[in-house]
Amino acid sequence: MLRGSILAVALAALAACALPGTVTGPDATTLRLTGGIVVAAPQGYCIDPQVTRPQRGFAFLAACAAINAASDKPVPDRMALITVQVGDANSALVAGSEPAFRAFLETQQGATLLGVSDIGGPVDVLSTGAATNAVTVYTRDTAPPDIVGSQPESWRLFTDLRGRVVTITVRGLTQAPLTQVQSREVLDQMLQQLRAANSVQQSTT
């Protein structure tokens, strides 16, 4: 009886951990990352199985047709590259500190932080914003971006989910660059998908 109780507790603990999943194929649109954070792609976007690293809390999304030439999913209105990065446990830092975090991103130290995180190198901060549990920043790379063929401007959004900071980045393509407004539309779509997938009801920026 005791052994059965221990096994039940162990199974419950594993379920609570919400272990990361795996990308099921080239047309996958949802994925569980570390910490139990679920990524859900906007319409026309899929999760790239080659670049995504669920155990590291990283997901890379692009147009389904760009990942899989045989995909029958519709082409998105805005072609972009989207990344989602989940922070470590207890890394949440946005909710309740939105104005201060926004102000920090406008400093040279904040620009330096943005330049060494996610995708890209040194950046100039062009615009910032803040709302409930969301801080946004629009930047331009001052060096060639790490992803060949991507435009230098990108939106980044920071939000807290399940005790972790989550970063969403949206970047257009050099062959079909997005305006600041267009890339922001994709960012807002991704945030809505992320919050819906994780049952978080909060206001957007």
Side-chain angles (χ1 to χ4, degrees), residues 37-63:
I37 304 298
V38 178
V39 172
Q43 185 176 21
Y45 283 88
C46 290
I47 300 167
D48 190 325
Q50 301 300 318
V51 184
T52 297
R53 297 291 182 268
Q55 296 284 354
R56 299 180 184 177
F58 179 78
F60 185 91
L61 294 79

Side-chain angles (χ1 to χ4, degrees), residues 126-160:
L126 305 179
S127 175
T128 62
T132 303
N133 192 20
V135 173
T136 54
V137 56
Y138 188 64
T139 63
R140 178 182 294 121
D141 295 341
T142 59
D146 287 353
I147 299 181
V148 177
S150 64
Q151 71 181 88
E153 296 83 12
S154 67
W155 272 108
R156 212 169 309 192
L157 181 143
F158 300 87
T159 188
D160 292 340

Side-chain angles (χ1 to χ4, degrees), residues 183-198:
S183 58
R184 180 55 188 264
E185 291 174 357
V186 179
L187 182 75
D188 289 342
Q189 291 173 11
M190 188 64 212
L191 179 61
Q192 291 173 1
Q193 292 290 106
L194 183 69
R195 286 178 169 170
N198 292 277

Side-chain angles (χ1 to χ4, degrees), residues 78-79 138 151 153-155 170-173 176-186:
R78 310 295 190 207
M79 296 285 285
Y138 188 64
Q151 71 181 88
E153 296 83 12
S154 67
W155 272 108
V170 173
R171 183 182 292 269
L173 306 174
L178 299 177
T179 66
Q180 182 174 346
V181 172
Q182 290 171 336
S183 58
R184 180 55 188 264
E185 291 174 357
V186 179

Side-chain angles (χ1 to χ4, degrees), residues 41-120:
Q43 185 176 21
Y45 283 88
C46 290
I47 300 167
D48 190 325
Q50 301 300 318
V51 184
T52 297
R53 297 291 182 268
Q55 296 284 354
R56 299 180 184 177
F58 179 78
F60 185 91
L61 294 79
C64 299
I67 298 173
N68 174 23
S71 176
D72 59 0
K73 293 186 180 297
V75 177
D77 295 333
R78 310 295 190 207
M79 296 285 285
L81 304 176
I82 306 172
T83 65
V84 177
Q85 180 66 63
V86 176
D88 296 334
N90 303 315
S91 61
L93 51 75
V94 179
S97 300
E98 295 92 344
F101 189 25
R102 175 185 181 181
F104 170 72
L105 293 179
E106 294 173 344
T107 66
Q108 184 57 51
Q109 292 90 340
T112 300
L113 171 67
L114 294 169
V116 298
S117 62
D118 201 32
I119 293 175

